[in-house]
Amino acid sequence: MADRILGVLAAVPFLLGTVSSSGTHGTTAFTFADPEIIESSALVVQDGLFLTSNDSGDSGRVFAVDPATGRTVGVTHWSPDPVDVEALAPAGPGHVWVGDIGDNGEDRDSVSITRIPVGAADATVDEPAYELVYPDRAHNAETLLSDPRTGRVYVATKDVFGGRLYAVPKHLSATSPNRLRAVGDVLPIATDGAFFPDGRHLVLRDYSMAVVYAFPSMEKVGEFRLPVQDQGEGIAVDARGTLFVSSEGQHEPVLRVSLPAEVRDALTPPSAATAPPSPSPGVPDRSIGIRVDDRPVWPWLLTGGIGVAALVVLLRSLRPR
Protein backbone atom coordinates (compact mmCIF):
# COMPACT_ATOMS: atom_id res chain seq x y z
CA MET A 1 0.00 0.00 0.00
CA ALA A 2 2.82 2.40 0.83
CA ASP A 3 4.26 1.79 -2.64
CA ARG A 4 0.91 2.72 -4.20
CA ILE A 5 0.76 5.97 -2.26
CA LEU A 6 4.33 6.86 -3.19
CA GLY A 7 3.51 6.09 -6.80
CA VAL A 8 0.63 8.55 -6.76
CA LEU A 9 2.76 11.25 -5.19
CA ALA A 10 5.60 10.62 -7.63
CA ALA A 11 3.17 11.25 -10.49
CA VAL A 12 2.45 14.82 -9.33
CA PRO A 13 4.92 16.60 -11.66
CA PHE A 14 3.58 14.75 -14.68
CA LEU A 15 0.00 15.56 -13.68
CA LEU A 16 0.95 19.21 -13.52
CA GLY A 17 1.96 19.10 -17.17
CA THR A 18 -1.04 17.06 -18.25
CA VAL A 19 -3.74 19.21 -16.69
CA SER A 20 -2.71 22.29 -18.63
CA SER A 21 -4.75 23.25 -21.64
CA SER A 22 -3.35 23.55 -25.14
CA GLY A 23 -0.04 25.33 -25.36
CA THR A 24 1.42 27.80 -27.84
CA HIS A 25 2.45 26.50 -31.22
CA GLY A 26 6.07 25.67 -31.94
CA THR A 27 7.87 25.26 -35.24
CA THR A 28 10.10 22.21 -35.62
CA ALA A 29 13.72 23.38 -35.84
CA PHE A 30 15.01 19.82 -36.27
CA THR A 31 14.52 16.32 -34.88
CA PHE A 32 17.10 14.35 -32.91
CA ALA A 33 18.24 11.60 -35.29
CA ASP A 34 20.51 9.80 -32.81
CA PRO A 35 18.72 6.77 -31.26
CA GLU A 36 21.02 7.15 -28.23
CA ILE A 37 19.31 10.41 -27.29
CA ILE A 38 16.33 8.96 -25.44
CA GLU A 39 15.91 11.12 -22.31
CA SER A 40 17.02 14.58 -23.33
CA SER A 41 16.51 16.65 -20.21
CA ALA A 42 18.83 19.58 -20.97
CA LEU A 43 19.40 21.87 -23.93
CA VAL A 44 22.04 24.46 -24.84
CA VAL A 45 22.56 26.32 -28.14
CA GLN A 46 26.20 27.26 -28.67
CA ASP A 47 28.70 27.65 -31.52
CA GLY A 48 26.05 26.66 -34.07
CA LEU A 49 25.35 23.34 -32.32
CA PHE A 50 22.64 22.06 -30.00
CA LEU A 51 23.97 20.29 -26.93
CA THR A 52 22.01 17.81 -24.84
CA SER A 53 22.42 14.93 -22.40
CA ASN A 54 20.32 12.06 -21.13
CA ASP A 55 19.25 12.15 -17.51
CA SER A 56 19.72 9.51 -14.79
CA GLY A 57 20.62 6.03 -15.94
CA ASP A 58 23.05 7.03 -18.68
CA SER A 59 26.81 7.37 -18.49
CA GLY A 60 28.22 10.88 -18.36
CA ARG A 61 28.13 12.09 -21.95
CA VAL A 62 27.07 15.19 -23.84
CA PHE A 63 25.81 15.06 -27.42
CA ALA A 64 26.61 17.82 -29.93
CA VAL A 65 23.95 17.93 -32.64
CA ASP A 66 24.00 19.70 -36.00
CA PRO A 67 20.59 21.40 -36.39
CA ALA A 68 20.85 21.25 -40.20
CA THR A 69 20.54 17.45 -40.13
CA GLY A 70 19.59 16.53 -36.55
CA ARG A 71 22.57 14.19 -36.48
CA THR A 72 25.06 13.89 -33.64
CA VAL A 73 28.45 15.22 -34.75
CA GLY A 74 30.32 14.78 -31.48
CA VAL A 75 30.01 13.10 -28.09
CA THR A 76 32.03 14.11 -25.06
CA HIS A 77 32.36 11.38 -22.42
CA TRP A 78 33.19 12.93 -19.06
CA SER A 79 32.21 10.34 -16.42
CA PRO A 80 31.42 6.61 -16.46
CA ASP A 81 29.01 6.71 -13.53
CA PRO A 82 27.44 10.06 -12.59
CA VAL A 83 24.61 10.01 -10.04
CA ASP A 84 21.84 11.95 -11.80
CA VAL A 85 22.76 14.30 -14.66
CA GLU A 86 19.90 16.69 -15.31
CA ALA A 87 21.23 19.97 -16.70
CA LEU A 88 23.64 21.83 -18.96
CA ALA A 89 24.65 25.49 -19.10
CA PRO A 90 27.00 27.47 -21.39
CA ALA A 91 30.56 27.73 -20.08
CA GLY A 92 32.32 29.78 -22.72
CA PRO A 93 33.19 28.94 -26.33
CA GLY A 94 33.51 25.20 -26.85
CA HIS A 95 32.54 24.33 -23.27
CA VAL A 96 29.46 23.60 -21.16
CA TRP A 97 28.77 23.07 -17.50
CA VAL A 98 27.25 19.68 -16.75
CA GLY A 99 25.01 19.51 -13.70
CA ASP A 100 24.95 16.24 -11.74
CA ILE A 101 22.28 17.84 -9.57
CA GLY A 102 19.29 15.50 -9.62
CA ASP A 103 18.14 14.26 -6.20
CA ASN A 104 14.62 12.84 -6.29
CA GLY A 105 14.93 11.51 -2.74
CA GLU A 106 16.47 14.78 -1.49
CA ASP A 107 19.08 12.81 0.41
CA ARG A 108 22.38 13.67 -1.30
CA ASP A 109 24.95 15.37 0.91
CA SER A 110 26.12 17.37 -2.10
CA VAL A 111 25.72 17.69 -5.85
CA SER A 112 28.29 18.70 -8.46
CA ILE A 113 29.01 20.57 -11.67
CA THR A 114 31.80 19.93 -14.19
CA ARG A 115 33.07 22.12 -17.02
CA ILE A 116 33.79 20.05 -20.12
CA PRO A 117 34.78 20.72 -23.74
CA VAL A 118 32.19 19.99 -26.43
CA GLY A 119 32.06 20.25 -30.19
CA ALA A 120 32.00 18.45 -33.51
CA ALA A 121 34.31 15.61 -32.43
CA ASP A 122 34.24 12.67 -30.05
CA ALA A 123 36.30 13.03 -26.90
CA THR A 124 36.84 11.45 -23.50
CA VAL A 125 37.89 13.90 -20.82
CA ASP A 126 38.75 13.88 -17.14
CA GLU A 127 37.83 17.26 -15.72
CA PRO A 128 37.51 18.26 -12.05
CA ALA A 129 34.04 18.11 -10.50
CA TYR A 130 33.05 20.99 -8.21
CA GLU A 131 31.05 19.88 -5.20
CA LEU A 132 28.07 22.07 -4.30
CA VAL A 133 26.17 22.18 -1.00
CA TYR A 134 22.91 23.96 -0.24
CA PRO A 135 22.80 26.33 2.74
CA ASP A 136 19.76 24.65 4.30
CA ARG A 137 19.08 21.06 3.21
CA ALA A 138 19.21 18.72 0.22
CA HIS A 139 17.11 19.69 -2.80
CA ASN A 140 16.19 18.10 -6.09
CA ALA A 141 17.18 20.18 -9.12
CA GLU A 142 17.12 19.89 -12.90
CA THR A 143 18.12 23.41 -13.95
CA LEU A 144 21.53 24.97 -14.47
CA LEU A 145 22.06 28.47 -15.88
CA SER A 146 25.03 30.74 -16.49
CA ASP A 147 24.99 34.54 -16.69
CA PRO A 148 26.28 35.55 -20.16
CA ARG A 149 27.81 38.73 -18.74
CA THR A 150 29.73 37.27 -15.81
CA GLY A 151 29.80 33.53 -16.43
CA ARG A 152 28.44 32.90 -12.94
CA VAL A 153 26.48 29.67 -12.58
CA TYR A 154 23.05 29.26 -10.94
CA VAL A 155 20.98 26.25 -9.88
CA ALA A 156 17.17 26.28 -9.73
CA THR A 157 15.56 23.67 -7.49
CA LYS A 158 12.52 21.56 -8.36
CA ASP A 159 9.98 21.52 -5.54
CA VAL A 160 6.19 21.21 -5.78
CA PHE A 161 5.85 23.76 -2.97
CA GLY A 162 8.00 26.36 -4.74
CA GLY A 163 11.51 26.31 -6.17
CA ARG A 164 14.42 28.61 -5.49
CA LEU A 165 17.33 29.97 -7.49
CA TYR A 166 20.78 29.54 -5.90
CA ALA A 167 24.04 31.20 -6.92
CA VAL A 168 27.21 29.15 -7.22
CA PRO A 169 30.28 30.89 -5.73
CA LYS A 170 32.23 33.08 -8.16
CA HIS A 171 35.44 31.26 -7.32
CA LEU A 172 35.10 27.49 -7.21
CA SER A 173 37.21 25.09 -5.20
CA ALA A 174 37.91 21.63 -6.58
CA THR A 175 39.09 20.37 -3.17
CA SER A 176 36.35 21.49 -0.78
CA PRO A 177 32.55 21.96 -0.93
CA ASN A 178 31.24 25.16 -2.50
CA ARG A 179 28.32 26.66 -0.60
CA LEU A 180 25.35 27.89 -2.63
CA ARG A 181 23.55 31.16 -1.87
CA ALA A 182 19.80 31.70 -2.24
CA VAL A 183 18.87 34.42 -4.76
CA GLY A 184 15.08 34.29 -5.08
CA ASP A 185 11.96 32.17 -5.46
CA VAL A 186 11.01 30.59 -8.78
CA LEU A 187 8.27 28.40 -10.22
CA PRO A 188 7.77 25.05 -8.43
CA ILE A 189 8.59 22.35 -10.98
CA ALA A 190 11.54 23.83 -12.89
CA THR A 191 12.93 21.34 -15.41
CA ASP A 192 15.35 23.66 -17.25
CA GLY A 193 16.23 27.28 -17.78
CA ALA A 194 18.44 29.76 -19.59
CA PHE A 195 19.50 33.39 -19.55
CA PHE A 196 18.60 35.70 -22.39
CA PRO A 197 21.60 37.30 -24.14
CA ASP A 198 21.12 40.62 -22.33
CA GLY A 199 21.83 38.96 -18.97
CA ARG A 200 18.98 41.00 -17.51
CA HIS A 201 16.37 38.27 -17.92
CA LEU A 202 16.14 34.52 -17.60
CA VAL A 203 13.50 31.94 -18.44
CA LEU A 204 12.55 28.80 -16.52
CA ARG A 205 10.17 26.09 -17.66
CA ASP A 206 8.14 23.27 -16.17
CA TYR A 207 6.28 20.56 -18.10
CA SER A 208 3.81 23.00 -19.64
CA MET A 209 4.67 26.63 -18.81
CA ALA A 210 7.56 29.04 -19.08
CA VAL A 211 8.15 32.00 -16.78
CA VAL A 212 10.44 34.95 -17.54
CA TYR A 213 12.13 36.78 -14.66
CA ALA A 214 14.06 40.02 -14.45
CA PHE A 215 17.56 39.48 -13.11
CA PRO A 216 18.84 39.90 -10.45
CA SER A 217 15.59 41.11 -8.84
CA MET A 218 13.84 37.84 -9.81
CA GLU A 219 10.60 39.74 -10.39
CA LYS A 220 8.27 37.80 -12.69
CA VAL A 221 7.76 39.79 -15.89
CA GLY A 222 5.72 37.29 -17.91
CA GLU A 223 4.60 33.71 -18.35
CA PHE A 224 3.19 31.67 -21.22
CA ARG A 225 2.20 28.15 -22.16
CA LEU A 226 4.65 26.00 -24.07
CA PRO A 227 3.81 23.71 -26.97
CA VAL A 228 2.40 20.34 -25.90
CA GLN A 229 5.21 17.75 -25.73
CA ASP A 230 5.47 14.13 -24.60
CA GLN A 231 7.63 15.13 -21.63
CA GLY A 232 9.02 18.58 -22.30
CA GLU A 233 12.04 19.30 -20.13
CA GLY A 234 14.67 21.25 -22.07
CA ILE A 235 14.77 24.95 -22.90
CA ALA A 236 17.49 27.06 -24.49
CA VAL A 237 18.01 30.59 -25.81
CA ASP A 238 20.41 31.30 -28.66
CA ALA A 239 22.59 34.38 -29.14
CA ARG A 240 19.74 36.21 -30.94
CA GLY A 241 17.25 35.54 -28.15
CA THR A 242 15.35 32.80 -29.99
CA LEU A 243 13.72 30.25 -27.69
CA PHE A 244 13.91 26.48 -28.22
CA VAL A 245 12.34 23.62 -26.26
CA SER A 246 12.98 19.86 -26.26
CA SER A 247 11.40 16.71 -24.85
CA GLU A 248 12.42 13.34 -23.53
CA GLY A 249 11.85 10.41 -25.86
CA GLN A 250 13.54 8.94 -28.92
CA HIS A 251 13.63 10.98 -32.14
CA GLU A 252 11.84 13.92 -30.53
CA PRO A 253 11.72 17.31 -32.28
CA VAL A 254 13.33 20.47 -30.96
CA LEU A 255 10.79 23.26 -31.31
CA ARG A 256 11.33 26.95 -31.98
CA VAL A 257 8.92 29.01 -29.88
CA SER A 258 7.88 32.60 -30.45
CA LEU A 259 7.64 34.77 -27.37
CA PRO A 260 4.23 36.40 -26.75
CA ALA A 261 4.18 40.11 -27.58
CA GLU A 262 3.85 41.16 -23.95
CA VAL A 263 6.91 39.14 -22.99
CA ARG A 264 8.92 40.57 -25.89
CA ASP A 265 7.94 44.06 -24.74
CA ALA A 266 9.12 43.25 -21.22
CA LEU A 267 12.51 42.23 -22.60
CA THR A 268 12.97 45.52 -24.48
CA PRO A 269 15.93 47.43 -23.00
CA PRO A 270 14.80 50.51 -21.05
CA SER A 271 15.77 53.93 -22.37
CA ALA A 272 18.46 55.86 -20.58
CA ALA A 273 15.79 58.18 -19.19
CA THR A 274 13.88 55.39 -17.53
CA ALA A 275 16.71 53.01 -16.66
CA PRO A 276 17.06 52.36 -12.92
CA PRO A 277 20.21 53.67 -11.23
CA SER A 278 23.20 51.34 -11.20
CA PRO A 279 24.14 49.83 -7.84
CA SER A 280 26.93 51.57 -5.98
CA PRO A 281 30.36 50.00 -6.41
CA GLY A 282 31.33 47.73 -3.56
CA VAL A 283 27.74 47.20 -2.39
CA PRO A 284 26.92 43.47 -2.34
CA ASP A 285 23.91 42.33 -4.36
CA ARG A 286 20.89 41.42 -2.27
CA SER A 287 18.52 38.49 -2.73
CA ILE A 288 15.18 39.95 -3.80
CA GLY A 289 12.66 37.14 -4.21
CA ILE A 290 9.03 37.09 -5.21
CA ARG A 291 6.74 38.06 -2.35
CA VAL A 292 5.28 35.17 -0.39
CA ASP A 293 1.82 36.30 -1.49
CA ASP A 294 2.88 35.78 -5.12
CA ARG A 295 3.66 32.11 -4.63
CA PRO A 296 1.14 29.94 -6.52
CA VAL A 297 -1.51 28.27 -4.40
CA TRP A 298 -2.39 25.46 -6.80
CA PRO A 299 0.60 23.20 -5.89
CA TRP A 300 -0.58 23.14 -2.27
CA LEU A 301 -4.19 22.41 -3.23
CA LEU A 302 -3.27 19.69 -5.70
CA THR A 303 -0.80 17.98 -3.40
CA GLY A 304 -3.17 18.30 -0.45
CA GLY A 305 -5.98 16.67 -2.42
CA ILE A 306 -3.75 13.81 -3.50
CA GLY A 307 -2.52 13.38 0.07
CA VAL A 308 -6.07 13.21 1.45
CA ALA A 309 -7.08 10.67 -1.18
CA ALA A 310 -4.03 8.54 -0.42
CA LEU A 311 -4.80 8.67 3.32
CA VAL A 312 -8.37 7.54 2.72
CA VAL A 313 -7.15 4.59 0.65
CA LEU A 314 -4.68 3.67 3.38
CA LEU A 315 -7.26 3.81 6.18
CA ARG A 316 -9.74 1.71 4.23
CA SER A 317 -7.09 -0.92 3.57
CA LEU A 318 -6.39 -1.17 7.31
CA ARG A 319 -10.01 -1.83 8.29
CA PRO A 320 -10.65 -5.31 9.66
CA ARG A 321 -12.42 -7.51 7.10
Side-chain angles (χ1 to χ4, degrees):
M1 177 56 64
D3 291 340
R4 291 172 59 188
I5 295 173
L6 289 175
V8 171
L9 296 178
V12 167
F14 301 99
L15 291 172
L16 301 181
T18 304
V19 297
S20 64
S21 59
S22 60
T24 57
H25 293 290
T27 303
T28 298
F30 67 93
T31 297
F32 287 124
D34 192 338
E36 294 292 309
I37 301 176
I38 57 176
E39 294 188 4
S40 173
S41 63
L43 194 67
V44 165
V45 188
Q46 186 171 272
D47 303 327
L49 299 174
F50 281 72
L51 306 163
T52 191
S53 60
N54 293 320
D55 63 14
S56 59
D58 196 10
S59 61
R61 53 180 175 166
V62 174
F63 301 85
V65 178
D66 181 356
T69 63
R71 297 185 180 278
T72 298
V73 295
V75 180
T76 300
H77 298 264
W78 60 276
S79 173
D81 56 351
V83 178
D84 189 356
V85 177
E86 292 285 356
L88 299 175
H95 289 77
V96 295
W97 288 104
V98 181
D100 188 352
I101 56 176
D103 187 9
N104 289 322
E106 297 187 347
D107 54 9
R108 294 177 66 175
D109 293 331
S110 63
V111 294
S112 67
I113 58 174
T114 305
R115 185 175 184 265
I116 68 167
V118 291
D122 292 343
T124 299
V125 300
D126 183 14
E127 301 293 336
Y130 298 96
E131 185 181 7
L132 308 179
V133 294
Y134 292 98
D136 48 358
R137 60 175 179 83
H139 293 276
N140 187 29
E142 295 186 3
T143 302
L144 201 65
L145 312 91
S146 60
D147 187 330
R149 299 172 300 179
T150 66
R152 191 164 189 178
V153 180
Y154 296 83
V155 177
T157 60
K158 180 182 181 183
D159 188 332
V160 71
F161 298 112
R164 179 161 290 183
L165 187 72
Y166 289 87
V168 173
K170 293 179 180 178
H171 304 289
L172 289 166
S173 170
T175 58
S176 59
N178 299 273
R179 188 177 179 85
L180 299 172
R181 178 180 63 83
V183 174
D185 295 332
V186 296
L187 78 167
I189 310 294
T191 61
D192 202 7
F195 271 89
F196 284 92
D198 65 2
R200 298 186 303 108
H201 298 89
L202 58 89
V203 59
L204 297 175
R205 71 161 297 170
D206 60 19
Y207 294 104
S208 62
M209 298 284 297
V211 179
V212 176
Y213 299 89
F215 186 81
S217 70
M218 295 308 295
E219 293 181 28
K220 186 167 69 174
V221 299
E223 64 179 43
F224 54 96
R225 295 194 184 280
L226 293 172
V228 175
Q229 298 172 290
D230 287 345
Q231 188 177 326
E233 293 201 8
I235 193 166
V237 179
D238 70 9
R240 295 177 295 179
T242 305
L243 197 69
F244 299 88
V245 295
S246 60
S247 172
E248 288 196 2
Q250 195 175 55
H251 303 307
E252 284 290 318
V254 172
L255 305 178
R256 183 184 296 107
V257 178
S258 297
L259 292 172
E262 61 272 18
V263 176
R264 289 200 307 271
D265 292 343
L267 298 179
T268 303
S271 66
T274 59
S278 301
S280 302
V283 177
D285 56 336
R286 298 181 181 275
S287 300
I288 306 177
I290 300 172
R291 296 189 305 272
V292 173
D293 290 345
D294 290 337
R295 279 198 172 195
V297 176
W298 58 265
W300 294 86
L301 298 177
L302 178 59
T303 307
I306 292 175
V308 170
L311 182 59
V312 170
V313 172
L314 177 60
L315 292 176
R316 287 181 176 177
S317 68
L318 297 177
R319 287 179 180 176
R321 302 285 182 181

